[in-house]
Every structure is written in C-alpha cells, then in structure tokens.
Amino acid sequence: MAAKLNLSGPLDSDSSSSNDQSVSNRSSNRSLRVAEKERRKNEAEDPFVLALKYFSDVEAGTPWQGNDDFERNLVLVEQVAFSRGLSPEAISVMLEFAMSLRMGVSSCGRVLKCLIPATVVPQEAIVRAVVWLGINKIPFTTQVLFIKWVLTIFDMIDAKDQLRAVYGFIFSFVTEENLCPFICHLLYLLTRKESVRVFRVRKLLDLQSRLGRQPFLLNLLSLYKVFCPELVTLSIPSRMRSGFRNHNSPWKSALIAVQKRNGSQVASSISPAIAIKDKINSRKRKHCHLKMPALSSAVNKEAQTEPSSSRKVVPLVQLHSFTQLLENMHRVELPAQMGSLLGSSLALQYLDCVQDESALLRLNFWLGYALHEEFLFCSDGGASQNSEEALQFLDKLLSAHHFLQEGFSSSEAFLYKFLNVWDGSFLRPHIFGLLSNIPVVPSSQIERLLFEPLMQLFFTSSPFFKCGLMECLNNMLLKWLTWHSVYALEEDLDISLNSHTSINMTLSGFKDSVMELVHFVGRLATVGLQLESCHSLLLTFILDFYETVCDMFLKYGLPLIVMPPPGVFYPALFATDPVSVDRLAYIMYRYKVNLTSAKSQEKLTEQAFHISRQTFREFNNYVVIMVNSLWNSKMINPGMGVQLGEELLLKSNVPQYWTSFDLIHHPAFMSYAVDFHRGCWPGRKDMDLNSIKQSKPWGWYLEYLFTQGYDGLKQFVQSNISRQLTAGDGQGDNQPTHQR
C-alpha cells in the first residue's frame, strides 16, 4: 500500500500541474478576449473609425450637396490627415472612395487633397486607382491631380512590383496630350529594361513629331536609350535640361509638417523626383531635401523571397562588405531613394564598378532637384536658415565626388546657373570644391558658362576670395590633366571627359579648352596682382597654378606649353620675399626641361607636336631678363623687358640703380647678403656688399644661398648659366643658355 501511495504521489503532482496550466491558459485567453472586445468597443466609438466606415460603405449615387453626414465625416478625416497623417488602411479606403466617384466628381478632388500618408502607401490601392482611370469618366483636372499625388508620394509606396506589372496600362495614357508630361514622369520612375519595347519607342517618337522636342519626352527616351540603345536611334542632347518640370503640389508642405510632428524620417525619403515647387512656402522652407535618406530596399521582403520570382535580387542595404558586393554584383537591387547612395561607400563602389547609367540618371535626377530647389530657387537665401544641414549635404556630395574622382552632371548644371546669382561668400569652400570637379568644358562654351560669372566675382571680391578661386582653378586644371592622362587613347587621341557620360572630345578640342583656362587665369592674375598691390599670398596661389602649367607636357602627356604673362612674371621676379623668386626660378627651370624634351621629340618622331617660335621667344626673353637681373646686374638696359627713362632713374637718386635686383641687392635676398658679409668679414666696420662679387666670395655666397633651401634657384642657375669659376674669373661675363 505504501508503495502504491509513493507511486501515486508524482502522478497526483503531474495532474495538479496540468490543471494549473489549463486554468492559466483559460485565464490568459479570457484576458485576450476582454482586451480585444475593449479595443473593438473603443474603435466602434472612435469618430475617425466611424468616418472611414461611412466612406467605405456609402452607396454609389449618394448626393453630397446638403449631406451633413458626408460633410461631418470628411472634415474629421481632413483634420486627422493634416494633423498626424492617414494610416495605410485609411489611404486605401479614401482613395477607393474618391476614384470610384460614388458621390460624384466634386468630392473626388477634395478627398485627393487630404490624402496625407503617415507612414507608407499600399501599392494595391494605387493599382486599383489607376484602373479606375480607365473605367470612370474622371475629368482631366482630377486625373492630373491624382497623378501628381502619386508622384509626390512615390517613394512612400511600400512596393512597386504590382505597379510595374501594369506599366503597359499606364503607358496607354501617354497619348493624352494634357496628361502626357505627368505620365512620362511616372513612367520614368517605373521603367526597367524589360519595360522598353519597340512599339513604345515608336509611340514616343510619334508624339515627339507632333508635340516637338518636349523635355518630358526626351527624358523618358534618354532612359530608354540607356537600357536599349539599339531601339532608340534618336540623338539625345548631351547637355539636356535634367529632370521634369516643377509643379505646384497641395501635399508637399502638409507632408513635411506631418512627418515633423510624428518624428519620423519618412519625409526625408520623399523623392525630389517629385519635381514640385511650392511657390507659396518656398521662402520658408528649410532644406527638406538635404537630409540624406537612409539606405533601404525598393521592394518588400515578400517580393524578394517569392519562389516564383524569375531573378533573385539582393537589396544593396543587405550587403556589408566589398566581397559581398562582388559576389552579387549583377543581382543588386538599388534603393527606392537614390539619394541614399551618396551616404554609402559600398553604393558608390557599385556605381564605380558597374557603370549603371540608369542608376546614374536617377541619382542625377534626385541630386539636380535637391540642389536647384534648396540653393537656387530659394531667392531669399533660405539655405542660411539651416546652414548645418546644407554643410552636411555638401560634405557628403563632395565626399562622393572625391571617392569617384569625378563630379555628377547634375551638380555641373547647377553650378552654371548658381554662379550667376552667387555672392561669393555663401558656402564658399563647398562651391569651390564642386567647381573644381566639373569636367572639361568645350572652348566654345567655357567663356559664357564659367569665365564671365567668375570674372565679375573676382574683380569685386577680397584677396582671400581671389586666393580661393586660384586654388579652385588649379585643382580644376589638375583634374582635367589627370583625366587626359588616364582616358587618352594612343591611336585616335580621343578622350572621354567623364566615364559616366558619353561626351567625347578630340585632343585639339581638349587643348583649346585647357589653353582658354590658362589664358583666363593669366588675365585674372595680372589684374588681381595690380588690384591687391602684389599681395604675397595671392602671388603664392598664382605660382601654384603655373607650377602645374609648366609641367603639362612631361607630367601629364599633354602636347601644350603656355608661358605665364608678363603681369605674373615681373611681380614674382621683383617680389620682396625670396620664396616667390625661388618658385619663379623653379617654374622657369621646368619650362626649359619640358621645352627641351618636346624639341627632341619633334626631331625624332613625326607625330610630335610642333612648338611655335613665339613660345621659344617668350621663354628666351624671360630667361635673359632673369639672368641679367639676378646675375649680371644689367636689369634696366636698352632692349630689356622693362624700360624706364634715364631722367626718371637719375631723379630716383638710387646709386648704381642697374644693380638693384641682383642676387646681392635684390630686396628678397639682401638680408642673406648682409648675413654672409658679416660672416665672411667679421672685422669690417664699413659694409661693402659689392665685395661679395669677387670671384671666391661670389661662389661661396651662391653655395650659402643654395644651402638655405632655395632649390629652384639652384636648378635655374645650373641649367641656364654657364659659369667657370677660377681664381681670376669674375661673374659679369656669364651668359644664359638659350632655347632655339
């Protein structure tokens, strides 16, 4: 019996535990039922839920005039929409009510204007609404309003696969002349390679023959040509106005306000592909498009894992290393918001490796809109209201430029317009950074696009702006020369200006553009040094530019040699600081090396470029002037580059004025001559600097100067002056070696 009792003990315990669990489950289920009942009761009592139910159940043909229920419920929906936005379910109900015209045409437009999503928009609702376009006799103005709404919230649609499935149905509306601009815009956003068909290309070309070369048709055709160049034989202008026309939108400001109140980031992903400009509120906008959207997928997860999918795609957001990118290079699915690519180094690597022109078109579209809308169209300087966001945006853009080693065509087009209204101070470092990244501009357009606005700013600005512009133009020239050295083809000498565009330029055209830039900088430098009294800092940046120019042939392989103008040469030669004179000597030394190399190649090969006699004359003239000035103490002599009247020189009361700019008496080197004299003759009370010109002291003095770090001066002397110093030699008979 005891055994039975002991044996039955655990069984009783298990039974008790099972009963307790059953009671707990029943209690939990009862709590869930009570909570669900309470929720339904609250929803049933919620006026907004009742309003949605009204619009969901209202019968077709119900009159709206004098209908108090309709007015009360619609006002309630409008209040919720403009305060916190509508949920996806509410969007579906209200959009179905509007497009089905259950209560006539008049209510449709009013309902569409209050469709402000709080989070996302279900694509099923969009597809049903598009179908209603072909069923009901919706007025043209309402059709346009609906398409504008779709364009506004395009990047808030939860997925695009079903919309792309009805691409052909949407395309059928392109024949409607009034709808065509908006339909082309929507098709541009939905187009993939499989969407491009011969009959669609023919239809667009037929429309163009009737409507003319409209920008919206050309933009869509350009995208078609990227995917299928063999189908689109039309020549697309290389500098076509990017993007689509800006349109007024009744939702834009409301969307921004709702997202700010909700503390959500969805607003930042509202695509600037909307191309909508709110004229009323543009003066109060604060860089709504300058926030870089987060990298996210363009399709929902169900679509990615669907087994029936013909091609498995890998969202870029799921890749975290370059190795993963290489493994999935041809299966990458780009994000819905192309602006997010600028904030991802992996995305930039994808753009650089794959050269996906459709992605670049979309990115340039987004970027062009953001730059124009937030920096160009805000005529009151609205960008200054939130300069931190502007700085972050431009920092990201410049970082992308540096990563890709080239700029975007949209930022180039923006700069050409922005320079005409720029005050020269607003975001100056970033504007100069963008300007230095623009590709080579044809010589026929460079004057109008760049030189005219920059010249006006240069002549009316501070010395520091002039220095910044000189640095910017030097960086621009460096990038142009680098592109030439990388993309130049040995056979036909054609170069690609930008690996992301199809613009090509012959070598002669490239040389013309570079020559125009160098001559332009020469004009600016000449006048700038006069205006700023030969400012030493400005002269430093000018000499930086000519250090690049003097080595264009040997360092970058460009068959072009351009000498600096006299307005740069003489201020550098007569500068009061020894560094400027030393740098001028180095520049002239590098000119001689380049000219000598080019001359030798001209004799050996038939394809070598020919150097004009004028270039040699200018170089030889500069060398003679420098040698006579620094070495022979014969600066101001008849036949030299600088001519002063004898009477004026005598009135100056300067003794031995012809020696004023030699290496001993030159203002830049006199302190070194004084120190050398004291070290060489420490016991002398009277200082006679001319004693340094004796044979041995002169050689020692040169070595002393060279040990001070003036390598440019040393190279110039060694390459241009034939001197044989012996015990009885002087330095007055040394002559420069000429280039012929």
Side-chain angles (χ1 to χ4, degrees), residues 1-253:
M1 176 63 81
K4 290 182 179 180
L5 290 174
N6 291 336
L7 187 60
S8 63
L11 293 176
D12 293 341
S13 177
D14 291 343
S15 176
S16 175
S17 176
S18 176
N19 292 335
D20 292 343
Q21 185 176 2
S22 176
V23 171
S24 176
N25 289 338
R26 287 197 299 271
S27 176
S28 176
N29 292 336
R30 187 183 304 110
S31 299
L32 291 175
R33 288 196 299 271
V34 170
E36 179 67 16
K37 185 177 180 181
E38 187 69 20
R39 186 184 67 81
R40 291 179 179 178
K41 180 180 179 182
N42 292 336
E43 286 185 353
E45 296 174 354
D46 186 356
F48 178 67
V49 175
L50 295 176
L52 291 180
K53 182 174 174 49
Y54 170 82
F55 289 109
S56 176
D57 298 339
V58 66
E59 296 181 358
T62 303
W64 64 274
Q65 289 183 332
N67 191 330
D68 295 338
D69 292 337
F70 166 77
E71 185 65 26
R72 182 180 64 256
N73 290 314
L74 184 56
V75 168
L76 182 58
V77 171
E78 288 174 337
Q79 290 175 351
V80 173
F82 288 105
S83 61
R84 63 174 186 268
L86 299 178
S87 65
E89 296 79 10
I91 291 287
S92 298
V93 170
M94 298 306 297
L95 186 60
E96 179 73 13
F97 166 79
M99 300 303 292
S100 61
L101 301 181
R102 293 181 194 170
M103 300 184 71
V105 176
S106 301
S107 61
C108 179
R110 183 177 171 184
V111 172
L112 287 176
K113 290 179 181 179
C114 73
L115 294 183
I116 311 299
T119 54
V120 297
V121 178
Q123 69 165 338
E124 292 83 359
I126 305 293
V127 172
R128 286 198 303 270
V130 169
V131 174
W132 279 114
L133 284 179
I135 297 177
N136 282 340
K137 296 181 180 180
I138 301 177
F140 158 71
T141 54
T142 306
Q143 293 180 7
V144 171
L145 189 65
F146 168 69
I147 299 299
K148 282 185 178 181
W149 177 77
V150 175
L151 292 173
T152 304
I153 53 87
F154 184 82
D155 277 325
M156 301 180 73
I157 302 174
D158 56 1
K160 311 293 192 305
D161 51 332
Q162 294 182 20
L163 270 175
R164 291 190 173 98
V166 295
Y167 186 95
F169 182 75
I170 298 174
F171 188 88
S172 64
F173 291 97
V174 81
T175 56
E176 299 290 337
E177 185 173 336
N178 294 325
L179 273 180
C180 189
F182 311 97
I183 293 296
C184 287
H185 192 167
L186 181 58
L187 292 173
Y188 185 94
L189 300 175
L190 293 173
T191 298
R192 288 186 173 179
K193 186 173 184 179
E194 53 269 21
S195 307
V196 183
R197 295 290 184 267
V198 177
F199 70 92
R200 289 173 183 155
V201 174
R202 290 175 180 171
K203 178 62 70 176
L204 292 177
L205 293 176
D206 178 63
L207 283 171
Q208 184 177 249
S209 64
R210 291 193 290 110
L211 302 178
R213 294 172 69 88
Q214 298 295 334
F216 51 86
L217 291 173
L218 288 175
N219 278 302
L220 185 56
L221 283 169
S222 67
L223 184 59
Y224 278 18
K225 189 168 186 176
V226 167
F227 286 123
C228 300
E230 70 281 1
L231 297 182
V232 184
T233 58
L234 179 70
S235 176
I236 305 295
S238 59
R239 296 188 180 274
M240 180 181 59
R241 182 172 65 86
S242 60
F244 291 86
R245 182 182 177 186
N246 293 336
H247 302 288
N248 291 330
S249 168
W251 305 277
K252 183 179 178 182
S253 57

Side-chain angles (χ1 to χ4, degrees), residues 313-374:
V313 295
V314 179
L316 191 59
V317 69
Q318 295 182 5
L319 304 179
H320 304 290
S321 67
F322 187 68
T323 303
Q324 293 178 338
L325 178 63
L326 290 177
E327 293 173 351
N328 301 277
M329 187 67 73
H330 300 292
R331 297 186 297 159
V332 170
E333 180 259 329
L334 294 173
Q337 175 51 274
M338 295 302 293
S340 60
L341 297 182
L342 295 180
S344 169
S345 60
L346 205 60
L348 294 176
Q349 286 174 334
Y350 171 81
L351 288 179
D352 197 36
C353 294
V354 177
Q355 299 291 305
D356 187 347
E357 292 202 24
S358 63
L360 286 165
L361 273 176
R362 292 176 57 198
L363 180 56
N364 276 305
F365 190 11
W366 178 88
L367 183 59
Y369 176 80
L371 289 170
H372 282 74
E373 187 76 1
E374 302 298 343

Side-chain angles (χ1 to χ4, degrees), residues 654-704:
V654 176
Q656 297 182 344
Y657 56 81
W658 55 86
T659 66
S660 296
F661 290 98
D662 60 18
L663 287 175
I664 297 174
H665 299 91
H666 196 294
F669 298 104
M670 184 174 287
S671 61
Y672 291 100
V674 172
D675 289 342
F676 177 80
H677 189 279
R678 289 173 178 172
C680 193
W681 297 284
R684 286 188 181 181
K685 295 182 179 180
D686 297 330
M687 182 172 293
D688 181 15
L689 294 180
N690 287 325
S691 60
I692 301 177
K693 294 184 179 181
Q694 299 175 12
S695 178
K696 287 186 178 180
W698 177 254
W700 297 338
Y701 177 63
L702 290 179
E703 294 300 326
Y704 171 70

Side-chain angles (χ1 to χ4, degrees), residues 2 118 208 288 349 383 414 454 459 588 678:
Q208 184 177 249
C288 307
Q349 286 174 334
F414 159 75
L454 289 179
F459 293 148
M588 297 307 297
R678 289 173 178 172

Side-chain angles (χ1 to χ4, degrees), residues 493 507 511 515 553 558-562 594-617 740:
L493 293 177
L507 177 62
K511 287 171 57 178
M515 187 178 297
F553 177 67
L558 181 65
L560 180 66
I561 296 178
V562 184
N594 279 259
L595 285 167
T596 304
S597 177
K599 190 67 175 178
S600 62
Q601 289 189 21
E602 186 178 8
K603 295 178 179 179
L604 295 175
T605 61
E606 297 179 355
Q607 296 182 352
F609 77 103
H610 175 72
I611 307 172
S612 67
R613 292 180 178 270
Q614 178 64 26
T615 302
F616 281 113
R617 281 196 295 267
R740 293 179 175 82

